[in-house]
Amino acid sequence: MKETPLSNCERRFLLRAIEEKKRLDGRQTYDYRNIKISFGTDYGCCIVELGKTRVLGQVSCELVSPKLNRATEGILFFNLELSQMAAPAFEPGRQSDLLVKLNRLLERCLRNSKCIDTESLCVVAGEKVWQIRVDLHLLNHDGNIIDAASIAAIVALCHFRRPDVSVQGDEVTLYTPEERDPVPLSIHHMPICVSFAFFQQGTYLLVDPNEREERVMDGLLVIAMNKHREICTIQSSGGIMLLKDQVLRCSKIAGVKVAEITELIQKALENDQKVRHRKEGGKFGFAESIANQRITAFKMEKAPIDTSDVGEKAEEIIAEAEPPSEVVSNPVLWTPGTAQIGEGIENSWGDLEDSEKEDEDEGGSEEAVILDSVKMDAGVISNIGSQDAPIVLSDSEEEEMIILEPDKNPKKIRTQTISVKQEKAASKKPMKKRKKKRAVN
Amino acid sequence: MEGAMQVDTQIRTEPGAEAGPGGPGCSLRHFACEQNLLSRPDGSASFLQGDTSVLAGVYGPAEVKISKEIFNKATLEVLLRPKTGLPGVAEKSRERLIRNTCEAVVLGALHPRTSITVVLQVISDAGSLLACCLNAACMALVDAGVPMRALFCGVTCALDADGNLVLDPTVKQEKEARAVLTFALDSVEWKLLMSTTKGLYTNAELQQCLAAAQAASQQVFRFFRESLQRRYSKS
């Protein structure tokens, strides 16, 4: 589905509003939208909501052999997916420019800033290291994907616990969560991206642009920073010229925003820890993050189902139903390694190349049914007959159906059909008819 | 239809069969549903069954690609996205099962030459995932206002080694089970729309599971009804 284009009047309206220092959602220039962080039941799973933009983050780990040039370092892998759920314009399975750009920026923000201690992920140097995989799914696109994704990634990484391992000699033991508590990753700092949108060649600036604002902006400046005010990545796109003062001002704003967001993340993580480790089994997970007072949400407690009469009902149905047709399932061994059970009807699943073959098949299956009834009645005698048939089947390269008929000489017929084909290659219909007749006979 | 068997069963269920104290394991986990939580899709729903959670978004009826256009009905597409990694064969097979179920109830003929896209995102898998996907898809379709002949729900049954029946199993129960059966049932006659099974079971056990699924489906449909009633109430 194509994206709905933005009309000229919408564009003008948005730009006029920005010139008047107004935003459609009532925010001030430097305001972020509300950030909500919720955690799943398993470790390393979180949903980050930035206004209406929503990103699901999931961290998983795996023991792999390290890269040759980095024998003592674990591997970090980031993958942001723009699911079609987020916006109708995102096509599944296509690497759009936006997606490549966002993935690259995430990698620079989180891997190249060395926020995760990759050396602590090494189990046996040169042999086994942990590969940490961060999957991010965009669930709803309302602008500023990169900020939401970077928050989701770092929150998921902070929340994640990997299984404990021990090395004794050459033996590596992996402990299940029941045996030993899983261990958290060692995280040095938390880089967070802050986006600035520029309008009218850099005259106007907005923090955290929403989808509409993103569509009318001229350029974007993304600054990734941690709470120690260290810049991890800075990227300007859209081809706007920025003055030195502007960039410095942006980095100051970013510092403030990052400090706020980091505090929020730490609070959310602490809350989750508290609930998770409460003795009386506190409730956590996404079920708890659904606001019960909302009119669109509804919950139901565990409901018992009466299944006492299930047995009787089943018996009743089986008693009422016709008994299943008794299938003669004497396995017949044709050749070593090839046996047959069932009725021997040709399977109709294969790709038939043309209508001619289809017709042949139809004729064939009819025959097979007839043959089968004969088999049922005749018992032992037909067994011999049907034993003849498959031998011919293996002979025939064209998979003609005629061979199922035991009392005809198949080879003769085949030569006939071939000659017919040659003669009547141009007109297929008459030939088909003839074949059908033959089959019925 | 290859993927989904569409079998009409002759089971008559009494609508008055109230949930009583069932045997151990014969209960549904707690359910939760939130509709219309995403702003971009036409309809969306997040469905939770215990710790299993699926988010669904529906776009449609909308513009369709010429190559996928069907001249007398809507093209129904289902996308299922796993939580980690890329979608594989298992997802494709589930997509197909869900699509066939949806096609059986969605009145596609009312919107010819359009597309209805259902996108499902697994949020967490703690057993009975396919059933949860079906329920989420149904609630999202309702939220999008797609015309349907009936509602549908998914119910998973597991048979353990002793032949005991477990409804809405968790991952652990599914792993220990001898057979896991998932059914999709419609809300009008509680007839079977889709069934997919794994493992060994007898004819009688299949019928038992089906009867249990029908009993459970009434509870699920009651949940659907109550959540929609709340949604369209004034308070």
Side-chain angles (χ1 to χ4, degrees):
Chain A
M1 214 164 93
K2 283 191 208 96
E3 197 161 11
T4 336
L6 199 67
S7 67
N8 284 340
C9 41
E10 269 179 294
R11 182 182 297 272
R12 271 201 302 275
F13 174 72
L14 280 163
L15 287 171
R16 275 268 293 286
I18 290 161
E19 278 170 29
E20 291 172 18
K21 306 265 175 207
K22 281 177 185 148
R23 294 175 84 167
L24 284 184
D25 41 15
R27 280 186 288 160
Q28 295 297 310
T29 316
Y30 303 131
D31 284 355
Y32 248 86
R33 287 170 285 178
N34 280 336
I35 300 172
K36 189 183 163 202
I37 300 167
S38 41
F39 296 97
T41 37
D42 24 346
Y43 283 119
C45 177
C46 71
I47 289 185
V48 170
E49 290 168 54
L50 177 63
K52 283 175 185 163
T53 300
R54 234 178 236 249
V55 177
L56 165 71
Q58 171 70 55
V59 180
S60 48
C61 65
E62 201 185 349
L63 275 175
V64 294
S65 48
K67 287 178 182 162
L68 287 175
N69 53 349
R70 296 245 191 284
T72 59
E73 284 184 20
I75 301 166
L76 267 176
F77 185 77
F78 294 93
N79 183 35
L80 172 66
E81 296 248 5
L82 302 178
S83 143
Q84 213 189 356
M85 191 189 287
F90 295 143
E91 278 173 46
R94 213 177 113 246
Q95 286 270 327
S96 62
D97 289 349
L98 176 70
L99 181 58
V100 175
K101 188 185 125 187
L102 290 172
N103 265 320
R104 186 74 199 105
L105 198 52
L106 262 181
E107 272 182 13
R108 274 172 44 191
C109 168
L110 290 154
R111 189 198 288 154
N112 299 8
S113 68
K114 310 249 181 230
C115 65
I116 311 279
D117 180 13
T118 44
E119 293 208 348
S120 73
L121 296 173
C122 176
V123 181
V124 182
E127 280 179 32
K128 281 272 173 287
V129 296
W130 284 108
Q131 185 190 46
I132 306 292
R133 186 189 165 100
V134 186
D135 279 281
L136 298 161
H137 297 271
L138 183 66
L139 303 175
N140 196 42
H141 175 29
D142 193 37
N144 208 358
I145 302 168
I146 188 66
D147 290 17
S150 79
I151 297 171
I154 198 71
V155 170
L157 282 166
C158 290
H159 190 248
F160 182 66
R161 304 281 184 276
R162 67 171 169 82
D164 202 3
V165 283
S166 70
V167 185
Q168 284 177 326
D170 290 341
E171 220 168 276
V172 180
T173 325
L174 198 70
Y175 296 99
T176 57
E178 288 81 32
E179 288 168 339
R180 274 196 197 180
D181 277 343
V183 284
L185 304 174
S186 66
I187 291 164
H188 296 313
H189 60 94
M190 289 157 69
I192 289 157
C193 290
V194 179
S195 304
F196 299 89
F198 289 91
F199 302 87
Q200 313 276 16
Q201 267 67 48
T203 331
Y204 300 100
L205 170 150
L206 291 182
V207 174
D208 181 27
N210 65 21
E211 198 252 349
R212 281 295 143 97
E213 288 161 349
E214 273 186 355
R215 284 172 82 167
V216 296
M217 73 183 173
D218 289 328
L220 185 75
L221 179 74
V222 181
I223 301 179
M225 202 187 253
N226 60 21
K227 70 171 178 192
H228 313 296
R229 303 176 77 88
E230 292 163 331
I231 293 177
C232 302
T233 302
I234 184 161
Q235 180 184 300
S236 160
S237 57
I240 40 154
M241 316 262 216
L242 293 175
L243 299 170
K244 200 173 90 186
D245 291 351
Q246 277 178 312
V247 178
L248 282 174
R249 192 157 61 112
C250 286
S251 70
K252 266 184 199 149
I253 299 165
V256 178
K257 293 293 160 200
V258 165
E260 283 172 19
I261 295 168
T262 312
E263 203 179 315
L264 192 100
I265 292 173
Q266 266 156 357
K267 234 180 232 165
L269 283 166
E270 270 169 34
N271 272 346
D272 184 67
Q273 281 307 312
K274 252 187 235 162
V275 179
R276 228 167 254 268
H277 293 293
R278 206 178 284 165
K279 280 268 161 65
E280 64 268 34
K283 284 182 177 173
F284 54 92
F286 290 125
E288 297 314 302
S289 66
I290 290 185
N292 215 5
Q293 66 276 17
R294 219 178 270 174
I295 200 168
T296 50
F298 189 70
K299 288 183 193 178
M300 180 182 81
E301 280 313 305
K302 203 172 158 178
I305 303 289
D306 183 21
T307 50
S308 50
D309 57 341
V310 159
E312 294 162 30
K313 252 183 215 167
E315 273 170 31
E316 208 175 287
I317 292 152
I318 292 165
E320 274 177 27
E322 290 170 29
S325 56
E326 281 299 319
V327 182
V328 187
S329 56
N330 283 342
V332 187
L333 189 69
W334 298 122
T335 50
T338 309
Q340 179 190 325
I341 332 172
E343 308 184 4
I345 299 173
E346 270 297 301
N347 108 42
S348 55
W349 280 53
D351 268 340
L352 297 159
E353 276 168 19
D354 48 27
S355 58
E356 193 189 329
K357 260 198 169 172
E358 231 169 72
D359 274 48
E360 280 180 354
D361 261 357
E362 275 168 30
S365 58
E366 273 167 38
E367 262 175 15
V369 174
I370 298 163
L371 198 102
D372 237 63
S373 57
V374 172
K375 210 201 259 179
M376 294 277 215
D377 295 344
V380 192
I381 308 157
S382 70
N383 216 14
I384 303 160
S386 59
Q387 239 168 7
D388 277 343
I391 297 165
V392 184
L393 204 145
S394 61
D395 267 4
S396 99
E397 283 157 19
E398 290 199 25
E399 292 180 42
E400 303 245 308
M401 297 312 303
I402 330 133
I403 37 112
L404 274 173
E405 276 197 59
D407 43 3
K408 277 193 179 176
N409 187 351
K411 276 190 180 167
K412 198 178 156 192
I413 293 164
R414 207 174 58 188
T415 48
Q416 267 182 5
T417 48
I418 289 162
S419 62
V420 169
K421 263 183 200 167
Q422 283 162 350
E423 278 167 23
K424 300 227 171 185
S427 61
K428 282 180 181 174
K429 275 193 177 173
M431 186 182 73
K432 266 191 257 168
K433 271 186 187 169
R434 200 179 299 171
K435 265 192 187 170
K436 262 194 176 171
K437 269 181 201 164
R438 196 184 298 143
V440 173
N441 289 340
Chain B
M1 221 170 269
E2 309 102 72
M5 281 196 305
Q6 291 199 321
V7 189
D8 279 356
T9 51
Q10 302 128 342
I11 303 173
R12 275 187 22 250
T13 32
E14 291 77 36
E18 287 297 317
C26 280
S27 66
L28 298 172
R29 291 175 288 177
H30 66 264
F31 276 37
C33 173
E34 186 177 358
Q35 280 188 309
N36 207 0
L37 69 167
L38 304 178
S39 68
R40 293 301 291 269
D42 296 318
S44 55
S46 133
F47 204 93
L48 286 105
Q49 281 177 233
D51 290 331
T52 306
S53 167
V54 174
L55 182 65
V58 172
Y59 286 97
E63 178 193 346
V64 64
K65 264 193 207 155
I66 302 282
S67 58
K68 287 180 184 165
E69 186 180 286
I70 304 172
F71 70 92
N72 59 356
K73 62 174 184 177
T75 311
L76 200 83
E77 260 187 289
V78 174
L79 297 164
L80 177 60
R81 310 202 57 94
K83 204 175 178 194
T84 52
L86 296 168
V89 179
E91 278 73 28
K92 285 274 166 242
S93 134
R94 284 195 177 129
E95 275 174 14
R96 198 193 178 98
L97 292 170
I98 298 164
R99 198 189 70 213
N100 286 340
T101 313
C102 293
E103 270 174 353
V105 289
V106 169
L107 297 169
L110 294 179
H111 300 284
R113 300 169 66 193
T114 58
S115 77
I116 297 171
T117 314
V118 182
V119 193
L120 297 159
Q121 171 71 55
V122 179
I123 306 281
S124 65
D125 178 8
S128 315
L129 184 65
L130 184 58
C132 192
C133 286
L134 285 162
N135 292 335
C138 179
M139 288 311 259
L141 283 167
V142 170
D143 186 41
V146 175
M148 291 197 279
R149 189 169 59 75
L151 297 185
F152 60 93
C153 78
V155 179
T156 303
C157 305
L159 289 165
D160 66 12
D162 310 326
N164 294 326
L165 204 148
V166 183
L167 277 168
D168 199 16
T170 58
V171 170
K172 194 166 159 256
Q173 286 167 329
E174 273 185 358
K175 262 189 197 154
E176 288 165 356
R178 172 162 56 94
V180 179
L181 305 95
T182 303
F183 304 105
L185 299 148
D186 80 317
S187 65
V188 178
E189 291 163 302
W190 300 299
K191 278 190 176 169
L192 192 62
L193 293 168
M194 185 275 293
S195 91
T196 176
T197 63
K198 205 176 96 182
L200 286 169
Y201 52 86
T202 63
N203 198 352
E205 278 169 338
L206 172 71
Q207 295 293 352
Q208 278 175 16
C209 286
L210 199 52
Q214 279 179 322
S217 78
Q218 286 172 34
Q219 187 70 33
V220 180
F221 287 128
R222 190 184 305 150
F223 172 75
F224 281 9
R225 185 178 302 277
E226 281 172 21
S227 84
L228 288 172
Q229 257 168 9
R230 181 188 163 99
R231 166 105 202 267
Y232 293 107
S233 67
K234 280 180 183 165
S235 53

